[in-house]
Amino acid sequence: MSQTTLLEEVVQWSKDTCRLEVKSVLPKLISMHYKTESWEERIHVLKIITDMFLPHLSLSELEDECFSKVLPKVGKMFNTLMEEITNQVGGLSIQNTEIHSLLRNILQVMVQVLEVLSGCVRHVCSFEEAPALDSIRSLPSCILKVLRNTFQHCKESGEVYCGRLSLVGDLLQGLFKEAYSLQKGLMGLMDRISLENTASEDDVSDIITVIHSLLDICSVISNLDIALHANTWKFIIKQCVKYGSLVEERLRHGDITSCLCDDLLASFHSCLELAEQISQAGPQQVAHSPEYKLFQKTTKMCRFFANTLVHYIKEFKAFLSKSCRRFHQLYLQIVSKFPPSLCSPVLPSPLSEELNGAVLVPMDALLSQLLPLRPFAESVLNPSQHLSPETELPHCLLLVSVMGQFPSHPEEALQLWCDGSHFPEDTPRLPLFRALFQSFRRSCTERRVPVLLPGVMMKGQAQGNVTLHHHVCVMLCACVASLPPEHFPLLERSLLEAVLQPDTQTALLATDVWCFIARYGTAELCLHHGLLTAQLVKSCGGESYQLSHLSLLLRRMVFLMTPEHQMELVERFPPSQDDNLPVWCHILLRALSHDARQRVEADIITLTNTTVTNWQKAGCKLGQLDKVNIALLSLLMVVRGVSPEAECESSALTIISQLWVAMCPSQVQIHPSIQCTLKLLLSMSAILVKSFDPQVICQALVCVGAMISEKCPDDLLLAALDFLASLGKVFIPHDSQSQVLPRLSDLFGALLAERSWLINQHALEAFAHFAEVTNHEEVISQSLSSEDTKNKVVNFLSKTINAQETVETRLERLRLETPVLERHNTILETNEETAAEVSVASTGDDQSTTDTEPCPKRARQETSDEEEYSRYLQTAESALRALQTLVEGRATDTPVPPPHWVTSRLQELQTLITHISTANPPNR
């Protein structure tokens, strides 16, 4: 009987005949399927096999009698059909009817192949008993290969058919629908299958193949159909969890989690794009726009992917060590698109809340699952990682969130994050607190904007927004409050490192946390930290950012000490000793108890008076002026804390007046130590200005005038402006006005014309303060000598803003300034490290050299004979010119002559000058 005759006869058979003849006819049909060349005839034979004879095979016979023999050939045929489309599609056009017809026939055959496979699945599912995997082994593998090729072809159809897609669009749509139905049926079939723990190696391998094949399909269908994509992922995760112990060591965990992360990010970015489109349409159109409905669907997908990822990590976290870095990046990428990140889009509140609930909330659950994993901690705390500017703030917030989750995790997690790496063979890992301070420091732009975060809910108060500094500080303090004692050494080290680095706001954050420890710890702990800080301040040599930060810490810590411990601080660092003045010149005396304050004030005034007197008796040597400046800095702290009735005010006035008389204006520009003295005198004079004689004020103005005639440090100019502003509270006597008021007007005019924005702004503030309280209104008009200066003052007083930055412009400026500030801080740190290395190297030199040769720096502090001659002459000249100004001013303003003894004293000085000039110089 020929093949044609057999087929014609078989199609006429009844079900009973097919059942009786299945054993004899099925092998012949399978053989015909192998030998037939025509696609149409093959699919015709295949349909006869599956429709008429497959139902008469038992479940145990399906694989051996049919599937294993037919399905491999079906898979090859489908591949051949795909290749034929690729070869022929170039000639497709509406005019080329032959190619058009050929391609449509091929697509129809492909649809029929999918229908045949769906029939196989339906037949297997029709059995009441769940099939064993070995009874259908060939079916899933064949279907999965066909599905992947089908979905890939549908996905690439736009590129494959180019502008001719409409010629075959209906068939492609039918092809996709049939593939959709086939995959749904296959997943339902696989759900019915169950493997025991004793399953064979082949069965486990087949399950692994199904999972991985569907994973590959997921990457293809992600943009084709939302529901199919979600259902496929549900099935994959369900199968992974269902056969956990059987498959966990052979699953491609990295690929699975990577695909989940990619799909989550893709859906998330789609949501952001849709939300921006909706926001541009206006709030009235939100609820009814098609974009909003799509946004809601995509948001659900985001929530699904996020929750699925969390679930998978929970089940297989032991196998995800290589994926932890990817999870870290995912967290940063997600958080960077939400406020307060500077690169987050501005979205309407309802859309932002929906997206927040779908994506950001699951990130907390994700972090909770990842927190105990060492590889994740190593990724987050990696000291050499390089983050983009957009992810610096998210990284800082990640560290803060880690701290917030410690109470819900065992002690081991706390040790993992807080202790850092200990051994060379360990992967480098920073302690959490050090990493947090470093991350906070790098979030420079966000701190300067400043970005705002939700504050802590307080009972009876509405939740407000707080700065990043406030947020981190609160969370740090909350963590410290519950921190076990064994972690405090590393915490204290991290705090000290943060205080000693150059970024001031980071040092301030560490200071806030340190003061929290001192405030809520024991009084003895506060004392211990206070004494330690005082010793560090004392050991700092000269001005530096470390001294500035340490002195701030000490100043605040003294407020927290008990009166008894404050007295102990006084005993340990008695202010009556010169080497302890660097400590007391940074402490606010109002922080001390009454007894401690009285003792400190008395000791500082006595020591300062002694130091200044000894300096004057020694000839006012420049090399000893640094010691005087330290004493004056301590005296400044006394002056800032005194009340007008205080007894120490008169002593301070005497010391300051003596030094003003000794100041030589011509030396201010030459010697930095004299500039420091002048700055301190100006600061103290601004406080005590009401008690000074007009002659002292005149001398101070002469020095300030000499100072601003040349370029001088900004801090000196700022001190001068404070002094000038304070003169508004003083009424200058009539006989001294001609000496004081013109100079005052000239100084204000010069400083108001400064080009430096910092000096100019402070000059405007000082002038406004002076103008509000002064009785000498002529100074105001005389200071405004130019029209430009007058306009600037008027605009300042009326609070007129000439040019205001837009939000975008300001943000861009801050971003450009950030690397400049970072480079500056790096230079400061590099210079400190270099200086420390030089110091260590010099310490190791030959001791005999150290004993016999003075160090170069010390030698420069001593002055030569020529320098001493010059200094003494400049001092004498300055005093004589001030006396000349006083005498000439009185002669002009009033007829009252100077005291009679002035003439005799001048004659004595003239005799002394004649004697000095005619004396023979000593031999050298």
Side-chain angles (χ1 to χ4, degrees):
M1 184 183 297
S2 66
Q3 292 184 7
T4 305
T5 305
L6 177 61
L7 290 177
E8 291 175 353
E9 181 181 347
V10 166
V11 295
Q12 304 295 324
W13 287 358
S14 64
K15 290 182 179 181
D16 292 336
T17 305
C18 291
R19 184 177 65 253
L20 294 173
E21 300 294 334
V22 63
K23 296 296 183 180
S24 60
V25 175
L26 184 58
K28 296 178 182 179
L29 293 175
I30 293 175
S31 177
M32 289 172 60
H33 180 261
Y34 282 162
K35 297 176 181 179
T36 303
E37 296 296 333
S38 168
W39 296 326
E40 289 82 357
E41 291 183 5
R42 284 188 187 179
I43 199 65
H44 179 58
V45 173
L46 193 58
K47 282 187 173 183
I48 292 174
I49 293 173
T50 56
D51 292 346
M52 301 183 67
F53 292 94
L54 191 65
H56 303 294
L57 294 176
S58 65
L59 189 57
S60 60
E61 296 174 325
L62 290 176
E63 177 67 16
D64 294 336
E65 299 293 334
C66 182
F67 289 163
S68 63
K69 298 175 181 179
V70 174
L71 295 182
K73 192 70 173 179
V74 172
K76 291 180 181 180
M77 182 181 73
F78 200 84
N79 290 338
T80 304
L81 293 171
M82 299 289 293
E83 293 172 0
E84 188 67 18
I85 290 177
T86 304
N87 295 333
Q88 300 295 335
V89 72
L92 177 62
S93 67
I94 195 167
Q95 291 83 14
N96 193 337
T97 56
E98 183 180 351
I99 297 297
H100 183 198
S101 176
L102 173 63
L103 291 177
R104 288 188 64 86
N105 288 338
I106 294 174
L107 289 172
Q108 288 173 347
V109 171
M110 291 169 64
V111 172
Q112 291 171 348
V113 170
L114 296 179
E115 290 174 346
V116 168
L117 294 175
S118 295
C120 294
V121 172
R122 285 193 298 271
H123 174 64
V124 175
C125 291
S126 65
F127 292 99
E128 292 185 3
E129 58 179 309
L133 193 54
D134 59 357
S135 65
I136 58 167
R137 179 158 286 129
S138 302
L139 183 61
S141 59
C142 175
I143 291 176
L144 290 169
K145 291 176 183 176
V146 169
L147 284 175
R148 195 189 190 292
N149 289 335
T150 302
F151 289 132
Q152 189 70 43
H153 185 72
C154 292
K155 183 177 182 179
E156 298 173 352
S157 57
E159 301 173 5
V160 172
Y161 298 97
C162 298
R164 299 152 293 184
L165 187 61
S166 59
L167 299 178
V168 292
D170 57 330
L171 291 174
L172 286 174
Q173 187 175 8
L175 184 68
F176 179 81
K177 287 182 177 179
E178 195 59 45
Y180 188 117
S181 175
L182 175 59
Q183 180 173 319
K184 184 178 179 181
L186 175 64
M187 292 190 297
L189 171 60
M190 297 303 299
D191 266 340
R192 298 185 61 195
I193 297 174
S194 296
L195 298 183
E196 302 294 335
N197 292 333
T198 57
S200 67
E201 178 67 20
D202 289 342
D203 287 349
V204 175
S205 296
D206 288 343
I207 292 295
I208 293 289
T209 300
V210 169
I211 293 174
H212 290 164
S213 298
L214 286 172
L215 178 64
D216 294 337
I217 289 174
C218 267
S219 62
V220 177
I221 63 175
S222 56
N223 296 324
L224 292 178
D225 188 274
I226 291 178
L228 178 62
H229 193 202
N231 289 333
T232 305
W233 268 116
K234 287 179 183 178
F235 176 79
I236 291 173
I237 302 303
K238 184 177 181 180
Q239 293 294 303
C240 291
V241 175
K242 180 179 179 180
Y243 302 114
S245 59
L246 293 174
V247 300
E248 59 186 9
E249 295 184 358
R250 299 170 60 178
L251 285 173
R252 288 164 25 199
H253 295 289
D255 291 342
I256 293 174
T257 53
S258 179
C259 287
L260 276 173
C261 292
D262 291 341
D263 287 343
L264 172 57
L265 283 176
S267 298
F268 178 59
H269 290 146
S270 296
C271 282
L272 293 178
E273 294 174 2
L274 289 168
E276 290 180 353
Q277 294 175 16
I278 296 169
S279 61
Q280 292 172 2
Q284 297 82 7
Q285 307 296 325
V286 170
H288 305 290
S289 65
E291 289 84 1
Y292 180 64
K293 294 180 179 179
L294 182 57
F295 172 81
Q296 288 182 313
K297 290 182 180 179
T298 313
T299 302
K300 290 180 180 179
M301 288 299 293
C302 287
R303 181 183 289 106
F304 166 75
F305 286 127
N307 291 333
T308 300
L309 180 62
V310 172
H311 181 53
Y312 191 85
I313 293 173
K314 181 180 179 181
E315 296 293 337
F316 299 102
K317 63 178 63 176
F319 301 90
L320 299 176
S321 58
K322 294 182 179 180
S323 301
C324 284
R325 179 172 175 78
R326 181 72 177 90
F327 299 146
H328 179 203
Q329 294 302 317
L330 173 72
Y331 189 98
L332 299 183
Q333 290 171 304
I334 295 290
V335 175
S336 68
K337 297 302 181 182
F338 285 94
S341 176
L342 297 178
C343 59
S344 62
V346 180
L347 304 179
S349 180
L351 303 183
S352 180
E353 290 176 2
E354 283 189 53
L355 203 53
N356 183 84
V359 183
L360 202 55
V361 172
M363 288 298 104
D364 288 335
L366 176 75
L367 183 59
S368 180
Q369 294 298 327
L370 294 172
L371 193 140
L373 302 183
R374 176 177 292 271
F376 181 71
E378 290 171 348
S379 175
V380 175
L381 301 175
N382 181 6
S384 59
Q385 64 180 319
H386 299 286
L387 300 173
S388 64
E390 293 78 16
T391 56
E392 288 290 2
L393 176 63
H395 184 72
C396 182
L397 297 178
L398 167 58
L399 295 172
V400 172
S401 298
V402 168
M403 285 193 309
Q405 294 208 13
F406 281 155
S408 59
H409 285 81
E411 174 69 18
E412 291 75 12
L414 186 64
Q415 293 176 351
L416 172 66
W417 286 87
C418 292
D419 290 357
S421 53
H422 297 289
F423 305 105
E425 61 270 18
D426 290 343
T427 301
R429 191 175 76 254
L430 290 174
L432 174 65
F433 299 113
R434 185 191 304 175
L436 179 57
F437 284 121
Q438 291 181 2
S439 181
F440 180 82
R441 173 180 168 177
R442 292 194 299 265
S443 303
C444 178
T445 305
E446 288 81 2
R447 288 188 276 121
R448 295 172 64 215
V449 169
V451 298
L452 298 178
L453 297 98
V456 178
M457 293 289 290
M458 303 290 289
K459 187 175 182 180
Q461 299 180 12
Q463 186 180 29
N465 291 328
V466 298
T467 63
L468 178 63
H469 179 109
H470 186 123
H471 176 73
V472 175
C473 183
V474 169
M475 298 302 292
L476 255 174
C477 292
C479 180
V480 168
S482 60
L483 196 67
E486 59 267 23
H487 296 290
F488 267 79
L490 271 176
L491 169 63
E492 292 169 342
R493 180 177 297 179
S494 299
L495 290 172
L496 182 59
E497 288 176 352
V499 169
L500 295 179
Q501 53 77 54
D503 184 70
T504 300
Q505 195 169 2
T506 303
L508 181 59
L509 174 63
T511 300
D512 289 339
V513 178
W514 207 327
C515 289
F516 172 82
I517 296 173
R519 170 66 180 83
Y520 289 98
T522 63
E524 288 72 19
L525 179 65
C526 180
L527 172 64
H528 172 70
H529 284 172
L531 295 176
L532 174 64
T533 307
Q535 186 60 49
L536 290 172
V537 169
K538 182 178 177 179
S539 64
C540 283
E543 291 294 328
S544 64
Y545 64 84
Q546 291 97 333
L547 177 60
S548 175
H549 297 165
L550 285 168
S551 60
L552 170 63
L553 175 62
L554 177 62
R555 190 155 54 243
R556 291 178 58 180
M557 203 161 284
V558 171
F559 276 95
L560 304 175
M561 291 183 180
T562 63
E564 295 79 10
H565 289 163
Q566 289 180 346
M567 285 301 298
E568 186 171 343
L569 177 67
V570 175
E571 295 293 340
R572 293 282 291 272
F573 300 93
S576 58
Q577 298 178 7
D578 289 347
D579 58 344
N580 290 325
L581 287 182
V583 174
W584 294 103
C585 67
H586 297 292
I587 294 177
L588 296 177
L589 301 189
R590 59 187 173 87
L592 300 174
S593 63
H594 179 72
D595 294 340
R597 177 173 176 172
Q598 279 191 329
R599 175 176 170 180
V600 172
E601 286 178 347
D603 286 353
I604 289 177
I605 290 177
T606 301
L607 182 57
T608 304
N609 190 31
T610 302
T611 302
V612 172
T613 302
N614 293 339
W615 177 68
Q616 291 173 329
K617 288 181 179 179
C620 301
K621 291 185 177 181
L622 185 63
Q624 298 176 358
L625 192 56
D626 287 340
K627 187 176 180 180
V628 175
N629 288 338
I630 294 176
L632 291 179
L633 187 56
S634 302
L635 182 62
L636 175 60
M637 303 306 292
V638 174
V639 170
R640 283 175 173 168
V642 299
S643 58
E645 306 81 36
E647 298 178 1
C648 60
E649 182 178 336
S650 59
S651 301
L653 279 170
T654 302
I655 296 171
I656 297 169
S657 299
Q658 291 175 355
L659 290 171
W660 272 125
V661 173
M663 289 298 294
C664 179
S666 59
Q667 289 184 321
V668 171
Q669 291 296 332
I670 304 173
H671 303 291
S673 56
I674 298 180
Q675 293 177 0
C676 180
T677 306
L678 179 58
K679 180 178 69 173
L680 293 169
L681 290 177
L682 288 169
S683 298
M684 288 186 284
S685 300
I687 299 171
L688 304 176
V689 67
K690 288 185 177 181
S691 304
F692 280 118
D693 292 334
Q695 292 82 0
V696 176
I697 295 176
C698 182
Q699 172 68 1
L701 292 176
V702 171
C703 291
V704 173
M707 174 188 69
I708 67 172
S709 62
E710 301 289 341
K711 180 64 178 175
C712 65
D714 287 347
D715 59 342
L716 193 51
L717 290 177
L718 295 176
L721 285 168
D722 288 341
F723 173 68
L724 296 180
S726 70
L727 292 177
K729 299 179 289 186
V730 179
F731 178 77
I732 307 298
H734 185 69
D735 56 354
S736 300
Q737 288 183 5
S738 61
Q739 307 159 37
V740 175
L741 299 186
R743 286 190 173 91
L744 186 56
S745 300
D746 292 342
L747 291 174
F748 268 127
L751 291 169
L752 286 170
E754 268 284 338
R755 292 186 177 182
S756 166
W757 68 267
L758 177 65
I759 302 303
N760 188 257
Q761 178 65 23
H762 281 269
L764 290 169
E765 294 175 1
F767 184 75
H769 182 71
F770 174 87
E772 286 178 1
V773 296
T774 187
N775 291 317
H776 303 289
E777 296 183 357
E778 63 270 27
V779 174
I780 300 174
S781 58
Q782 293 170 7
S783 300
L784 306 178
S785 55
S786 68
E787 196 64 28
D788 181 55
T789 302
K790 185 183 297 183
N791 290 336
K792 284 195 295 186
V793 172
V794 170
N795 289 337
F796 177 79
L797 294 176
S798 60
K799 300 180 180 179
T800 302
I801 300 176
N802 295 327
Q804 189 170 8
E805 288 179 307
T806 63
V807 175
E808 294 77 12
T809 304
R810 178 172 180 268
L811 183 57
E812 183 60 27
R813 175 176 59 80
L814 292 176
R815 283 174 171 156
L816 293 174
E817 290 173 354
T818 295
V820 178
L821 294 173
E822 290 174 349
R823 283 196 297 271
H824 173 70
N825 287 337
T826 302
I827 291 172
L828 289 178
E829 287 180 310
T830 304
N831 291 342
E832 290 292 336
E833 291 172 0
T834 303
E837 291 173 1
V838 171
S839 175
V840 171
S842 63
T843 305
D845 290 342
D846 187 9
Q847 187 63 37
S848 61
T849 304
T850 306
D851 293 340
T852 57
E853 297 182 8
C855 67
K857 188 172 183 179
R858 187 173 182 181
R860 287 197 296 272
Q861 292 177 351
E862 300 299 329
T863 57
S864 65
D865 290 344
E866 185 176 346
E867 289 176 339
E868 289 193 31
Y869 278 117
S870 174
R871 185 175 67 257
Y872 293 146
L873 284 172
Q874 286 177 342
T875 302
E877 181 184 3
S878 174
L880 288 172
R881 289 189 183 279
L883 181 61
Q884 180 186 15
T885 302
L886 179 61
V887 173
E888 290 176 353
R890 286 183 178 274
T892 303
D893 298 334
T894 63
V896 180
H900 63 89
W901 51 266
V902 172
T903 304
S904 60
R905 290 291 302 275
L906 288 173
Q907 291 173 350
E908 292 175 2
L909 288 174
Q910 186 173 2
T911 303
L912 178 60
I913 293 171
T914 303
H915 175 73
I916 293 173
S917 61
T918 58
N920 291 325
N923 294 327
R924 297 193 178 188

